[in-house]
Amino acid sequence: MKKLTLFFATLLSISVLFTACPPQPPVEESTAMNYWDGMFYSYNEDNDHPWGEYSYIFMTNTLDANDQGQFSGEGKCIFLQVIAPTATSNQIPAGTYPVVDYQGTEVPTQDMVLAGYQYDMLADYGYPGVYLVDMGTYAWNITATDTTTLYVIGGDLTVAYEGNVAKLTLKAKFDNGTSETFAFEGAMNVGDHEWPVPEDPYEYESTEAVQHNFAFTSCDMSYEADYGCWVLSAEKDNYKLGATFYSENTEDATGSYTVSDSQENGTVQASPGAADGNIYYSFWGTTTEDGYIQDVWFITGGSMTVTGANFTCNFTSHFGSTLQGSYTAAEAAPEMAKAPRNIKPIAKKANVKNSLIQRPTCLK
């Protein structure tokens, strides 16, 4: 009997042991990252809602890259963009930052990681000539045979410090339905970043003078109240024309305009060339089959006349090329409505070191 009692006592002790120590969930593994580059942008420091914008570039430790952004190995290159309204220094404050889609929000209202998205400026705003595809937080998934973009649409970033050592954990939910956790621990050399200004802002325009004469086959003109200017976008085959111009009349742009950098009514905005990652208004150019800018001529002289939805122009570029252009709107048949037209974005792929590009404005 004693043996039987001892047996049941042993079972009881084993039962208590298992009850007291339930199985632990598996520890989530993180993909290690190497720090590559960092930038800090400070905005609105003097108003009631100061905030800072931080941009970081990391690579998974299976990748290596040179200064030209050429990769070797396979893995992910991560572009991380963070908003911290309380930012006053070039070091992101410790805390947890949720991934937020803030498109359309002029001033962020909380600490956040910007959700990644494809920035289609022409389709969204009517502006041609942007050289940017990717914004927000995203990753290039790099393999031996292909490079694809994954946009971070959910998750969060945790930031902590031990002395000069930063500890970051990014829990990323991608737009293709996958999720992955990335971790970094080390020093980050982040400072105020200034976009390099090229010695010649017109370096993308050929110095060879050419003459173009086009009757454009489509044209969009709209008044952009947020910027106080009109924007014209016309096209013929693979040629695009983008012009910003100023008029007191916000309903009808009919009038004559001369090219100038004064931003006064009755003028077309002269282009200052390319800077800050943007091709600035006004210009014309050619595009590839994929819609990317191939050739560009920066408008610095000439004139334009607008009559309703029609226009004629005689523009001169920085290096002396000319564009004589016109557009005459077709009369719509009474029984037929105009079909909507799909507008393809004009963009130029940026390399990883210049992926954060500011939106172009009317320079006013």
Side-chain angles (χ1 to χ4, degrees):
M1 186 67 181
K2 288 185 178 180
K3 290 184 178 180
L4 187 60
T5 303
L6 182 60
F7 175 72
F8 280 113
T10 302
L11 286 180
L12 179 61
S13 66
I14 293 174
S15 175
V16 171
L17 179 63
F18 278 105
T19 302
C21 301
Q24 298 298 311
V27 177
E28 182 179 5
E29 294 186 1
S30 299
T31 303
M33 298 188 298
N34 293 324
Y35 175 68
W36 189 13
D37 197 8
M39 296 165 278
F40 167 69
Y41 302 84
S42 180
Y43 298 118
N44 300 324
E45 288 187 342
D46 298 327
N47 65 16
D48 295 332
H49 303 283
W51 55 283
E53 180 176 346
Y54 301 84
S55 297
Y56 302 86
I57 300 174
F58 296 94
M59 296 183 300
T60 56
N61 58 9
T62 55
L63 279 177
D64 195 8
N66 59 23
D67 292 340
Q68 287 74 46
Q70 296 170 325
F71 295 97
S72 57
E74 297 189 6
K76 290 183 176 66
C77 180
I78 301 165
F79 190 90
L80 178 65
Q81 199 171 352
V82 182
I83 295 293
T86 56
T88 57
S89 72
N90 61 2
Q91 180 170 282
I92 182 173
T96 299
Y97 299 79
V99 175
V100 177
D101 183 355
Y102 90 129
Q103 295 182 56
T105 301
E106 292 185 2
V107 179
T109 57
Q110 67 181 61
D111 294 354
M112 67 178 72
V113 175
L114 301 190
Y117 63 98
Q118 187 166 356
Y119 193 42
D120 185 342
M121 176 64 89
L122 183 59
D124 290 347
Y125 295 93
Y127 292 150
V130 180
Y131 327 0
L132 176 69
V133 175
D134 302 313
M135 291 282 287
T137 297
Y138 54 91
W140 281 292
N141 190 40
I142 300 167
T143 67
T145 58
D146 194 16
T147 298
T148 55
T149 302
L150 300 173
Y151 298 95
V152 178
I153 61 172
D156 59 54
L157 170 73
T158 301
V159 180
Y161 294 95
E162 291 183 3
N164 294 327
V165 176
K167 295 183 177 182
L168 279 68
T169 302
L170 173 64
K171 295 183 178 180
K173 178 182 178 182
F174 295 112
D175 60 330
N176 66 353
T178 63
S179 298
E180 193 169 354
T181 299
F182 303 92
F184 169 81
E185 182 172 343
M188 294 193 300
N189 200 12
V190 181
D192 292 344
H193 182 83
E194 296 181 1
W195 288 106
V197 177
E199 293 182 5
D200 179 9
Y202 302 100
E203 64 178 325
Y204 299 116
E205 178 182 329
S206 171
T207 58
E208 180 183 357
V210 295
Q211 290 75 46
H212 291 132
N213 193 328
F214 297 127
F216 288 94
T217 54
S218 63
C219 177
D220 293 315
M221 273 188 283
S222 62
Y223 183 75
E224 302 295 330
D226 291 342
Y227 301 110
C229 61
W230 284 81
V231 175
L232 179 152
S233 176
E235 60 184 72
K236 174 182 171 58
D237 301 326
N238 68 322
Y239 280 87
K240 308 283 184 179
L241 166 66
T244 290
F245 59 102
Y246 301 93
S247 172
E248 292 180 342
N249 192 335
T250 62
E251 301 295 330
D252 185 354
T254 296
S256 297
Y257 303 86
T258 57
V259 176
S260 169
D261 59 6
S262 67
Q263 300 178 12
E264 295 178 351
N265 290 320
T267 65
V268 175
Q269 177 66 56
S271 175
D276 301 333
N278 295 313
I279 295 176
Y280 282 108
Y281 279 63
S282 300
F283 61 89
W284 75 93
T286 66
T287 61
T288 66
E289 292 182 358
D290 296 327
Y292 298 123
I293 284 288
Q294 182 169 276
D295 304 299
V296 63
W297 293 272
F298 297 103
I299 296 171
T300 56
S303 61
M304 178 175 72
T305 300
V306 176
T307 306
N310 308 321
F311 77 88
T312 59
C313 67
N314 189 349
F315 291 138
T316 303
S317 77
H318 177 75
F319 286 117
S321 293
T322 58
L323 168 65
Q324 292 186 352
S326 64
Y327 173 75
T328 302
E331 293 290 337
E335 70 278 6
M336 295 179 63
K338 288 185 178 180
R341 184 169 57 85
N342 292 325
I343 303 175
K344 198 169 188 178
I346 304 175
K348 183 175 182 179
K349 289 183 177 178
N351 63 38
V352 70
K353 300 282 277 188
N354 294 305
S355 296
L356 180 62
I357 311 298
Q358 297 175 357
R359 300 183 182 186
T361 69
C362 295
L363 303 180
K364 196 167 187 178

PDB file of all heavy atoms in Angstrom, residues 122-138:
ATOM      1  N   LEU A 122       1.650  62.831 -60.896  1.00  0.00           N
ATOM      2  CA  LEU A 122       0.898  63.300 -62.050  1.00  0.00           C
ATOM      3  C   LEU A 122      -0.563  62.904 -61.950  1.00  0.00           C
ATOM      4  O   LEU A 122      -1.464  63.700 -62.175  1.00  0.00           O
ATOM      5  CB  LEU A 122       1.494  62.745 -63.345  1.00  0.00           C
ATOM      6  CG  LEU A 122       0.816  63.229 -64.636  1.00  0.00           C
ATOM      7  CD1 LEU A 122       0.871  64.737 -64.737  1.00  0.00           C
ATOM      8  CD2 LEU A 122       1.482  62.617 -65.840  1.00  0.00           C
ATOM      9  N   ALA A 123      -0.816  61.651 -61.593  1.00  0.00           N
ATOM     10  CA  ALA A 123      -2.193  61.186 -61.504  1.00  0.00           C
ATOM     11  C   ALA A 123      -2.925  61.827 -60.331  1.00  0.00           C
ATOM     12  O   ALA A 123      -4.104  62.141 -60.414  1.00  0.00           O
ATOM     13  CB  ALA A 123      -2.233  59.665 -61.374  1.00  0.00           C
ATOM     14  N   ASP A 124      -2.214  62.042 -59.203  1.00  0.00           N
ATOM     15  CA  ASP A 124      -2.866  62.569 -58.011  1.00  0.00           C
ATOM     16  C   ASP A 124      -3.050  64.077 -58.046  1.00  0.00           C
ATOM     17  O   ASP A 124      -4.050  64.606 -57.563  1.00  0.00           O
ATOM     18  CB  ASP A 124      -2.051  62.208 -56.758  1.00  0.00           C
ATOM     19  CG  ASP A 124      -2.111  60.718 -56.456  1.00  0.00           C
ATOM     20  OD1 ASP A 124      -2.967  60.044 -57.054  1.00  0.00           O
ATOM     21  OD2 ASP A 124      -1.307  60.247 -55.637  1.00  0.00           O
ATOM     22  N   TYR A 125      -2.062  64.792 -58.600  1.00  0.00           N
ATOM     23  CA  TYR A 125      -2.083  66.241 -58.489  1.00  0.00           C
ATOM     24  C   TYR A 125      -2.002  66.975 -59.824  1.00  0.00           C
ATOM     25  O   TYR A 125      -2.079  68.193 -59.855  1.00  0.00           O
ATOM     26  CB  TYR A 125      -0.916  66.710 -57.612  1.00  0.00           C
ATOM     27  CG  TYR A 125      -1.027  66.237 -56.188  1.00  0.00           C
ATOM     28  CD1 TYR A 125      -0.425  65.054 -55.776  1.00  0.00           C
ATOM     29  CD2 TYR A 125      -1.756  66.956 -55.251  1.00  0.00           C
ATOM     30  CE1 TYR A 125      -0.530  64.611 -54.466  1.00  0.00           C
ATOM     31  CE2 TYR A 125      -1.872  66.523 -53.941  1.00  0.00           C
ATOM     32  CZ  TYR A 125      -1.252  65.355 -53.559  1.00  0.00           C
ATOM     33  OH  TYR A 125      -1.357  64.915 -52.273  1.00  0.00           O
ATOM     34  N   GLY A 126      -1.796  66.263 -60.913  1.00  0.00           N
ATOM     35  CA  GLY A 126      -1.680  66.929 -62.196  1.00  0.00           C
ATOM     36  C   GLY A 126      -0.312  67.505 -62.469  1.00  0.00           C
ATOM     37  O   GLY A 126      -0.154  68.323 -63.363  1.00  0.00           O
ATOM     38  N   TYR A 127       0.707  67.123 -61.670  1.00  0.00           N
ATOM     39  CA  TYR A 127       2.044  67.665 -61.872  1.00  0.00           C
ATOM     40  C   TYR A 127       2.904  66.670 -62.636  1.00  0.00           C
ATOM     41  O   TYR A 127       3.158  65.586 -62.136  1.00  0.00           O
ATOM     42  CB  TYR A 127       2.728  67.939 -60.535  1.00  0.00           C
ATOM     43  CG  TYR A 127       2.118  69.061 -59.739  1.00  0.00           C
ATOM     44  CD1 TYR A 127       2.173  69.049 -58.358  1.00  0.00           C
ATOM     45  CD2 TYR A 127       1.495  70.118 -60.375  1.00  0.00           C
ATOM     46  CE1 TYR A 127       1.620  70.084 -57.622  1.00  0.00           C
ATOM     47  CE2 TYR A 127       0.948  71.145 -59.648  1.00  0.00           C
ATOM     48  CZ  TYR A 127       1.010  71.124 -58.274  1.00  0.00           C
ATOM     49  OH  TYR A 127       0.475  72.140 -57.551  1.00  0.00           O
ATOM     50  N   PRO A 128       3.405  67.017 -63.777  1.00  0.00           N
ATOM     51  CA  PRO A 128       4.356  66.126 -64.443  1.00  0.00           C
ATOM     52  C   PRO A 128       5.764  66.372 -63.931  1.00  0.00           C
ATOM     53  O   PRO A 128       6.023  67.317 -63.200  1.00  0.00           O
ATOM     54  CB  PRO A 128       4.235  66.541 -65.901  1.00  0.00           C
ATOM     55  CG  PRO A 128       3.903  67.993 -65.843  1.00  0.00           C
ATOM     56  CD  PRO A 128       3.056  68.184 -64.610  1.00  0.00           C
ATOM     57  N   GLY A 129       6.664  65.482 -64.301  1.00  0.00           N
ATOM     58  CA  GLY A 129       8.067  65.743 -64.108  1.00  0.00           C
ATOM     59  C   GLY A 129       8.659  65.376 -62.776  1.00  0.00           C
ATOM     60  O   GLY A 129       9.725  65.829 -62.426  1.00  0.00           O
ATOM     61  N   VAL A 130       7.966  64.546 -61.994  1.00  0.00           N
ATOM     62  CA  VAL A 130       8.537  64.167 -60.715  1.00  0.00           C
ATOM     63  C   VAL A 130       9.448  62.980 -60.901  1.00  0.00           C
ATOM     64  O   VAL A 130       9.130  62.063 -61.620  1.00  0.00           O
ATOM     65  CB  VAL A 130       7.401  63.784 -59.748  1.00  0.00           C
ATOM     66  CG1 VAL A 130       7.953  63.392 -58.403  1.00  0.00           C
ATOM     67  CG2 VAL A 130       6.451  64.944 -59.618  1.00  0.00           C
ATOM     68  N   TYR A 131      10.626  63.014 -60.232  1.00  0.00           N
ATOM     69  CA  TYR A 131      11.479  61.878 -60.365  1.00  0.00           C
ATOM     70  C   TYR A 131      11.418  60.871 -59.250  1.00  0.00           C
ATOM     71  O   TYR A 131      12.410  60.298 -58.969  1.00  0.00           O
ATOM     72  CB  TYR A 131      12.871  62.201 -60.271  1.00  0.00           C
ATOM     73  CG  TYR A 131      13.815  63.033 -60.483  1.00  0.00           C
ATOM     74  CD1 TYR A 131      13.604  64.230 -61.057  1.00  0.00           C
ATOM     75  CD2 TYR A 131      15.110  62.631 -60.168  1.00  0.00           C
ATOM     76  CE1 TYR A 131      14.657  65.014 -61.291  1.00  0.00           C
ATOM     77  CE2 TYR A 131      16.132  63.417 -60.424  1.00  0.00           C
ATOM     78  CZ  TYR A 131      15.902  64.602 -60.975  1.00  0.00           C
ATOM     79  OH  TYR A 131      16.921  65.365 -61.265  1.00  0.00           O
ATOM     80  N   LEU A 132      10.287  60.677 -58.723  1.00  0.00           N
ATOM     81  CA  LEU A 132      10.191  59.844 -57.539  1.00  0.00           C
ATOM     82  C   LEU A 132       9.117  58.798 -57.696  1.00  0.00           C
ATOM     83  O   LEU A 132       8.094  59.058 -58.258  1.00  0.00           O
ATOM     84  CB  LEU A 132       9.850  60.734 -56.364  1.00  0.00           C
ATOM     85  CG  LEU A 132       9.613  59.995 -55.078  1.00  0.00           C
ATOM     86  CD1 LEU A 132      10.877  59.395 -54.563  1.00  0.00           C
ATOM     87  CD2 LEU A 132       9.043  60.899 -54.061  1.00  0.00           C
ATOM     88  N   VAL A 133       9.398  57.612 -57.212  1.00  0.00           N
ATOM     89  CA  VAL A 133       8.389  56.565 -57.203  1.00  0.00           C
ATOM     90  C   VAL A 133       7.994  56.226 -55.764  1.00  0.00           C
ATOM     91  O   VAL A 133       6.823  56.182 -55.442  1.00  0.00           O
ATOM     92  CB  VAL A 133       8.880  55.297 -57.925  1.00  0.00           C
ATOM     93  CG1 VAL A 133       7.857  54.188 -57.793  1.00  0.00           C
ATOM     94  CG2 VAL A 133       9.132  55.584 -59.400  1.00  0.00           C
ATOM     95  N   ASP A 134       8.971  56.011 -54.902  1.00  0.00           N
ATOM     96  CA  ASP A 134       8.686  55.478 -53.571  1.00  0.00           C
ATOM     97  C   ASP A 134       8.805  56.540 -52.482  1.00  0.00           C
ATOM     98  O   ASP A 134       9.723  57.331 -52.480  1.00  0.00           O
ATOM     99  CB  ASP A 134       9.661  54.339 -53.244  1.00  0.00           C
ATOM    100  CG  ASP A 134       9.586  53.233 -54.266  1.00  0.00           C
ATOM    101  OD1 ASP A 134       8.465  52.828 -54.586  1.00  0.00           O
ATOM    102  OD2 ASP A 134      10.633  52.789 -54.759  1.00  0.00           O
ATOM    103  N   MET A 135       7.857  56.508 -51.537  1.00  0.00           N
ATOM    104  CA  MET A 135       7.891  57.401 -50.384  1.00  0.00           C
ATOM    105  C   MET A 135       7.559  56.598 -49.133  1.00  0.00           C
ATOM    106  O   MET A 135       7.092  55.482 -49.194  1.00  0.00           O
ATOM    107  CB  MET A 135       6.876  58.531 -50.545  1.00  0.00           C
ATOM    108  CG  MET A 135       7.205  59.511 -51.624  1.00  0.00           C
ATOM    109  SD  MET A 135       8.484  60.696 -51.155  1.00  0.00           S
ATOM    110  CE  MET A 135       7.570  61.732 -50.022  1.00  0.00           C
ATOM    111  N   GLY A 136       7.735  57.222 -47.978  1.00  0.00           N
ATOM    112  CA  GLY A 136       7.390  56.557 -46.729  1.00  0.00           C
ATOM    113  C   GLY A 136       8.414  55.499 -46.366  1.00  0.00           C
ATOM    114  O   GLY A 136       9.598  55.614 -46.667  1.00  0.00           O
ATOM    115  N   THR A 137       7.952  54.454 -45.688  1.00  0.00           N
ATOM    116  CA  THR A 137       8.837  53.374 -45.249  1.00  0.00           C
ATOM    117  C   THR A 137       8.604  52.155 -46.129  1.00  0.00           C
ATOM    118  O   THR A 137       7.463  51.700 -46.277  1.00  0.00           O
ATOM    119  CB  THR A 137       8.562  53.028 -43.773  1.00  0.00           C
ATOM    120  OG1 THR A 137       8.876  54.177 -42.977  1.00  0.00           O
ATOM    121  CG2 THR A 137       9.406  51.850 -43.316  1.00  0.00           C
ATOM    122  N   TYR A 138       9.663  51.644 -46.702  1.00  0.00           N
ATOM    123  CA  TYR A 138       9.550  50.518 -47.607  1.00  0.00           C
ATOM    124  C   TYR A 138      10.871  49.764 -47.629  1.00  0.00           C
ATOM    125  O   TYR A 138      11.862  50.204 -47.039  1.00  0.00           O
ATOM    126  CB  TYR A 138       9.161  50.969 -49.024  1.00  0.00           C
ATOM    127  CG  TYR A 138      10.069  52.026 -49.596  1.00  0.00           C
ATOM    128  CD1 TYR A 138      11.184  51.679 -50.351  1.00  0.00           C
ATOM    129  CD2 TYR A 138       9.815  53.372 -49.380  1.00  0.00           C
ATOM    130  CE1 TYR A 138      12.018  52.649 -50.876  1.00  0.00           C
ATOM    131  CE2 TYR A 138      10.655  54.347 -49.894  1.00  0.00           C
ATOM    132  CZ  TYR A 138      11.747  53.980 -50.637  1.00  0.00           C
ATOM    133  OH  TYR A 138      12.586  54.947 -51.147  1.00  0.00           O
TER     134      TYR A 138
END
